[in-house]
Amino acid sequence: MIAEALTYGFIQNALIAGILVSLISGVIGSIVVVNRMVFLAGGIAHAAYGGIGIAIFTGIPIFLGTSLFAVFAALIMAFVTIKQRDKIDVFIGLVWAVGMAIGIILVDLTPGYNVDLMSYLFGSILAVTHEDIYFMGTLFVVIILVMVFWYRDILAVSYDSEYAALSGINVNFFYTLILILSALTVVISIKVVGLILVIALLTIPIYIAQSLSSTLSIMMILSGIFATIFTTIGLYISYVFDLTSGASIILVAAIGLILFMLVKRFR
Amino acid sequence: MQNKLVTPVIEVKNLSYTYDKELVLDNINLVVNKHDFLALIGPNGGGKSTLMKLIVGLYTPNKGTVTFVENASKIGYVPQNTNINVNFPIKVFEVVLMGCKKSKKGLFGYNKEEIIHAEKLLEEVGMKEFAHTKIGSLSGGQRQRVMIARALCSNPDILLLDEPTSSIDKKGQTQVFELLKELNKKITIIVVNHEITVVFKYATKVAHINKNLTYHDLSSLQKELEINPDKHMCEVELLQMLAKK
């Protein structure tokens, strides 16, 4: 049955997309977690809905609209964090809610629109297109290049930003870069798990990896591997039992986390 | 040591600093000489850390200047609260290398020479065997010595430490200060510290900072008082004495 399923193009696409998104969220999720920016990334994820609304309303491709809007939200967050760190909570809430509100209103205003909005909120991995995969692949390459050239700068900024600034690293640049990459990661994850559940993909595998890793690079790789395992099993379950893919993946990840904690406890 | 020629390395002139409309430092004048072991003491919020950050260059003064003289401009800095990120997945040698100029060759990760260099610096602070340990599994005192190794990476003429022993047990404190004493043979040291007994044992100069600065040369004072560092002293009296001109 699995062998037969794998001959379908849409299943192949789903699997490739699932693996790419898992690897990317392993790298970016690790950076987000060690920088304690999970809530920030969550805000960007929800604000991205505004981009979906804009794309539907204006007729531009969804990925493009969502990416531009999410990056815009990330830039606002970066600006506020750099200028007024103490007000960041308020701005996350603001960007989070206003972004979603813009999306909902624009969808309301779009005449004759009746696409299933749930697919953006909870993922529609079986509808992944070739364009989606190109976009994910490009982001994957960009992130790998960023890591190859700037891993140590990002490590320094994440570990001790004040000291990094002293040793001549442009902290604000890297901080903004991290947020932009997080925003793009959120955008590509929307197809796989949906924007509501993105946060789980950016935290559960990372949490498990963190306690097993002695360096950030190992944490990134382990996170990517765990995320890939959860995504593949989740996809399989979603296909066999005809369930929503995003929710299946997240529940598999949650079960994985519980098992990990039990093993850790009783070993 | 005391007989060496006195050469100034840092000159702070008429420096004032305002934070949130509040005057934190008022017209500070201070000369730090080569091979000084200067302790900055004073009440919380008195401006010790602020003065240190102004010297390091993290803050810019509103008025006045900080000048480094005689090519002694290379500084190493050990910031406060290096214990926050305990769960961070990072090895000791990686932390040390953050203080060094990044080599052009290595892209992802580190090259061999760099790791050897980090191990050498760790040897200097007595932490070589921990080079490949996760930093979170070290004790407070050990972690602080790693931070000193990181500051030494740039081969500094002056080492500045902001409360290096604030959350460390007695034994760790002594180890850190014994190390600083050893380093002081080559390097000028400025340290912000609360533990007045420790300051008296190791520092040669003291600056008491509470918006204004009061300066003391300890070398004569120490002889007069004949301090026994293992005995408890009345810290209140000492502090009051140092706060007065």
Side-chain angles (χ1 to χ4, degrees):
Chain A
M1 183 182 162
I2 299 173
E4 190 201 325
L6 283 174
T7 58
Y8 296 126
F10 72 97
I11 296 279
Q12 289 168 1
N13 284 353
L15 202 58
I16 295 169
I19 292 170
L20 278 174
V21 166
S22 298
L23 296 177
I24 291 170
S25 63
V27 174
I28 297 302
S30 297
I31 299 176
V32 167
V33 166
V34 296
N35 277 286
R36 294 159 206 234
M37 301 193 319
V38 174
F39 191 49
L40 238 164
I44 294 173
H46 287 77
Y49 191 69
I52 294 173
I54 289 174
I56 289 172
F57 185 71
T58 57
I60 60 172
I62 299 273
F63 251 142
L64 184 66
T66 322
S67 300
L68 289 177
F69 198 82
V71 168
F72 176 65
L75 288 175
I76 292 180
M77 301 278 202
F79 183 76
V80 174
T81 328
I82 290 163
K83 291 283 169 209
Q84 288 179 296
R85 191 138 216 155
D86 50 328
K87 298 207 174 68
I88 188 70
D89 284 11
V90 177
F91 273 86
I92 292 174
L94 199 73
V95 171
W96 182 310
V98 171
M100 287 210 89
I102 291 172
I104 291 165
I105 296 291
L106 286 175
V107 171
D108 282 349
L109 291 176
T110 309
Y113 181 74
N114 58 359
V115 166
D116 183 15
L117 281 181
M118 294 289 276
S119 70
Y120 295 110
L121 299 181
F122 299 107
S124 57
I125 194 170
L126 297 180
V128 169
T129 61
H130 280 296
E131 286 75 40
D132 294 340
I133 288 179
Y134 292 141
F135 190 88
M136 292 168 182
T138 311
L139 183 62
F140 183 67
V141 172
V142 168
I143 286 171
I144 296 297
L145 285 177
V146 166
M147 287 307 135
V148 166
F149 284 103
W150 286 323
Y151 173 74
R152 281 170 68 175
D153 300 271
I154 289 173
L155 178 70
V157 170
S158 308
Y159 182 67
D160 188 343
S161 60
E162 190 181 55
Y163 201 85
L166 263 184
S167 46
I169 296 172
N170 188 341
V171 174
N172 290 346
F173 168 76
F174 284 105
Y175 191 76
T176 311
L177 181 70
I178 291 171
L179 280 179
I180 289 175
L181 291 178
S182 311
L184 293 173
T185 304
V186 163
V187 172
I188 61 154
S189 308
I190 287 176
K191 272 273 159 123
V192 177
V193 288
L195 57 87
I196 305 269
L197 304 177
V198 163
I199 265 330
L201 194 63
L202 284 175
T203 48
I204 296 175
I206 284 89
Y207 177 82
I208 299 174
Q210 183 165 24
S211 57
L212 298 172
S213 311
S214 54
T215 68
L216 183 61
S217 50
I218 293 175
M219 181 172 161
M220 288 170 173
I221 294 164
L222 283 183
S223 303
I225 292 171
F226 287 130
T228 306
I229 294 170
F230 297 148
T231 307
T232 322
I233 297 175
L235 266 181
Y236 174 72
I237 290 174
S238 123
Y239 174 77
V240 173
F241 297 102
D242 192 20
L243 300 168
T244 307
S245 62
S248 310
I249 292 168
I250 299 308
L251 281 185
V252 167
I255 291 166
L257 177 64
I258 292 167
L259 287 178
F260 173 76
M261 286 164 104
L262 287 176
V263 169
K264 213 176 141 193
R265 179 115 195 216
F266 292 110
R267 209 176 45 171
Chain B
M1 292 291 284
Q2 303 300 333
N3 298 329
K4 271 189 185 165
L5 272 177
V6 177
T7 15
V9 285
I10 303 176
E11 266 174 344
V12 177
K13 259 191 198 146
N14 310 323
L15 180 139
S16 296
Y17 187 74
T18 316
Y19 183 78
D20 247 2
K21 287 176 192 155
E22 199 192 323
L23 189 63
V24 184
L25 292 169
D26 184 17
N27 197 32
I28 302 289
N29 285 287
L30 172 71
V31 177
V32 184
N33 293 315
K34 202 170 183 177
H35 298 294
D36 272 359
F37 194 130
L38 170 69
L40 304 179
I41 61 167
N44 280 330
K48 313 177 293 284
S49 291
T50 309
L51 178 61
M52 182 158 273
K53 283 181 176 162
L54 283 159
I55 295 174
V56 173
L58 279 169
Y59 297 166
T60 337
N62 300 95
K63 243 172 53 193
T65 51
V66 177
T67 334
F68 294 90
V69 258
E70 207 235 350
N71 296 330
S73 56
K74 271 198 285 179
I75 54 175
Y77 177 53
V78 180
Q80 205 177 351
N81 289 331
T82 41
N83 296 331
I84 314 171
N85 257 341
V86 175
N87 283 323
F88 200 103
I90 188 166
K91 286 183 178 177
V92 166
F93 81 88
E94 294 183 282
V95 174
V96 173
L97 286 176
M98 280 178 191
C100 311
K101 275 258 170 292
K102 206 170 100 182
S103 94
K104 289 273 181 282
K105 273 189 280 173
L107 280 173
F108 192 88
Y110 310 86
N111 63 39
K112 223 176 188 153
E113 295 101 82
E114 283 182 304
I115 295 173
I116 291 168
H117 182 52
E119 283 172 345
K120 224 178 79 192
L121 289 162
L122 285 167
E123 196 169 14
E124 224 173 300
V125 299
M127 291 290 295
K128 195 188 172 190
E129 67 267 35
F130 296 97
H132 297 272
T133 312
K134 194 171 165 179
I135 189 113
S137 55
L138 300 183
S139 73
Q142 290 173 324
R143 195 151 46 232
Q144 208 52 262
R145 281 188 278 158
V146 173
M147 296 306 160
I148 293 172
R150 176 177 74 169
L152 292 176
C153 211
S154 58
N155 207 10
D157 308 294
I158 307 157
L159 188 62
L160 296 102
L161 306 96
D162 197 348
E163 303 207 18
T165 55
S166 57
S167 51
I168 300 179
D169 58 19
K170 264 255 136 26
K171 195 178 148 222
Q173 260 184 28
T174 314
Q175 285 177 340
V176 167
F177 272 92
E178 283 298 326
L179 169 65
L180 292 180
K181 191 179 164 189
E182 193 59 34
L183 292 171
N184 189 224
K185 288 173 184 165
K186 291 180 288 181
I187 305 172
T188 308
I189 286 176
I190 306 177
V191 57
V192 169
N193 207 283
H194 274 304
E195 293 280 322
I196 191 77
T197 34
V198 183
V199 168
F200 264 88
K201 188 173 174 193
Y202 294 98
T204 58
K205 313 279 164 63
V206 168
H208 182 277
I209 296 158
N210 190 8
K211 206 181 334 177
N212 301 295
L213 186 147
T214 321
Y215 186 81
H216 302 271
D217 190 328
L218 279 183
S219 49
S220 49
L221 207 64
Q222 273 163 334
K223 272 173 215 154
E224 266 174 49
L225 289 172
E226 278 190 341
I227 282 160
N228 184 345
D230 296 327
K231 263 188 204 160
H232 184 72
M233 290 184 296
C234 179
E235 300 192 358
V236 179
E237 276 178 3
L238 283 169
L239 271 172
Q240 280 172 345
M241 184 189 81
L242 289 170
K244 278 184 202 144
K245 288 258 179 196

